[in-house]
Structures are given as structure tokens and as C-alpha cells.
Amino acid sequence: MTLQGRNANLIDSAEKVRSFLNKLCLWKMHLQKNEFAYFCNFAKTAPSSEVIASCTDHLKCLKEDMTRRFKDIIEMNPPSWIIDIAHFDVLSEKDIDPIIAGELLELKENKVLMKNIERDGLYGWMKVESIHPLLFEKVVPFVLGFPTTWLVETGFSATNDLLTKKRNQLQIEKRGDLRLRLNQDLEIQLDKLIDRHQEQCSH
């Protein structure tokens, strides 16, 4: 189950979490029936009823823990038009906001924007901001990536790559007074800065 990456968003993350929770229920059901299609090693060892009971309890606890931890995104209910605007029938929806409905009707007739959404999926909505700002505001919360350390790790890896053999001629530590040190504080040569400082005459 992957919840991070360049194109990760909350809608995709919620779908993956719900899918995994359903799989936990499926695995538990098969274990209780002594069916080991999803547990190949169990079929070789002939586990006792106590072992199976322990495993099913573990799956139950895992499902409860994940449901609690991911409660926010599991309970998300994005408008159906965000996910599939092409097949969304605006005129048949009774509970939709009339202003949003009007914006959607205009958007569905814009072949360029519809093509972008069809090609880029959820991220195609990023190109409607200037023409349909109200729709854009509704979509933005769901395009956000699931909060993980992926962006930090990616940035650190890119910075670290500057000092590898790929960039062996790039000597960051000799470029100016600010020295970049990975895993260390950013050092500033204060003495040089003070020497270069020129006092202004009093007025």
C-alpha cells in the first residue's frame, strides 16, 4: 500500500486505505475457515486452532488500529463530479449547489479543459483555476498529498546527489561565505562578514 509519491493525493490514499482494510477482513475470514490461500506458509505447517485464533485477533486489532489512524481520509466524501466529471449528469443531480451546477455545465462544454482532466486525472483540475475559481476551490483540498516525509526525503536525496561522483567538479564548500554542510548546521563566516561591513557616516 503506497500513500506517498509525486502524484499521491488524498482521494487515491483513501481508496488504498479502504481497500487494504477490506483485505484484512477477507484474510481474517479465510483464516477462520482454515483456508490458507493468502497464507502459503500456513498450509505447509498445519497451524493449530490457537495459532489461527491468535492471527485472526491480530488482523482484527490491525484493522481497528488503521481505522482509527486513518479516520479522517476514510470518511472523506468528495463530490462525484471531481472523480468523474465526464459521466456526471449535472441536470439530474437534485442536491447540487446551483452555482456549482452552472460552472460544471460550462466546464463540460470546454473541450480543452475536459481533455486536460481526462488526460491528467485529478491534477487536470489545476488548470481550471482562472476560468472556474469556484470549482477549483472545491477540488484543491482533495488534491493535497497525504502528509508523509516523502518530500523531505526527496529533497535531501537531491541535495546529497550534488556531492556524488555525478557532480565531482562542484565544490559547494568553496562557493562564497555560506557553506552547505549535509547533516550539519549552516555555517556562516561571521569574521569575513564583519570585515566587509562598512559603517555609515552619522547624519
Side-chain angles (χ1 to χ4, degrees):
M1 184 176 66
T2 303
L3 301 181
Q4 60 184 12
R6 183 177 299 277
N7 295 321
N9 58 71
L10 290 181
I11 291 180
D12 289 342
S13 297
E15 292 174 349
K16 291 176 181 178
V17 170
R18 284 193 290 263
S19 174
F20 185 72
L21 292 176
N22 290 333
K23 287 182 179 180
L24 290 177
C25 294
L26 178 66
W27 298 342
K28 177 184 174 183
M29 180 182 68
H30 278 269
L31 274 180
Q32 290 173 332
K33 295 180 180 179
N34 289 334
E35 297 175 354
F36 308 126
Y38 299 101
F39 305 92
C40 299
N41 290 332
F42 268 21
K44 301 176 183 178
T45 59
S48 63
S49 57
E50 291 80 8
V51 172
I52 293 178
S54 176
C55 291
T56 54
D57 287 342
H58 175 72
L59 291 175
K60 176 184 177 182
C61 292
L62 180 58
K63 181 177 183 295
E64 292 174 350
D65 183 61
M66 288 196 63
T67 301
R68 176 180 58 84
R69 292 177 181 272
F70 295 98
K71 182 176 183 294
D72 292 343
I73 65 171
I74 291 175
E75 296 179 352
M76 280 195 326
N77 187 27
S80 56
W81 54 264
I82 293 180
I83 301 173
D84 189 8
I85 180 64
H87 297 92
F88 182 78
D89 189 353
V90 180
L91 299 178
S92 65
E93 291 292 328
K94 298 180 180 180
D95 298 329
I96 190 171
D97 182 278
I99 298 178
I100 295 297
E103 293 282 326
L104 288 174
L105 288 174
E106 291 182 14
L107 173 62
K108 288 173 72 70
E109 295 301 323
N110 190 319
K111 304 302 181 183
V112 175
L113 292 179
M114 289 295 293
K115 191 68 175 179
N116 290 334
I117 296 174
E118 179 183 351
R119 182 185 66 245
D120 301 330
L122 199 59
Y123 293 96
W125 286 97
M126 296 297 96
K127 299 179 181 179
V128 309
E129 180 180 11
S130 59
I131 302 177
H132 301 287
L134 293 179
L135 297 181
F136 180 78
E137 290 179 3
K138 296 289 185 181
V139 174
V140 165
F142 300 102
V143 183
L144 296 175
F146 186 77
T148 68
T149 60
W150 176 79
L151 285 177
V152 177
E153 294 169 357
T154 302
F156 182 83
S157 297
T159 305
N160 186 53
D161 198 44
L162 292 175
L163 298 179
T164 63
K165 293 181 179 179
K166 297 178 182 178
R167 301 292 181 89
N168 58 359
Q169 299 299 320
L170 180 62
Q171 299 178 347
I172 295 179
E173 69 277 6
K174 295 182 180 180
R175 295 171 62 90
D177 294 316
L178 296 181
R179 296 183 176 183
L180 182 60
R181 293 287 190 272
L182 297 176
N183 296 323
Q184 296 182 12
D185 294 331
L186 191 65
E187 298 181 357
I188 302 178
Q189 295 182 349
L190 295 178
D191 292 337
K192 287 188 177 181
L193 291 177
I194 294 174
D195 291 338
R196 293 178 182 178
H197 176 69
Q198 296 181 359
E199 296 182 356
Q200 295 183 357
C201 299
S202 58
H203 298 286

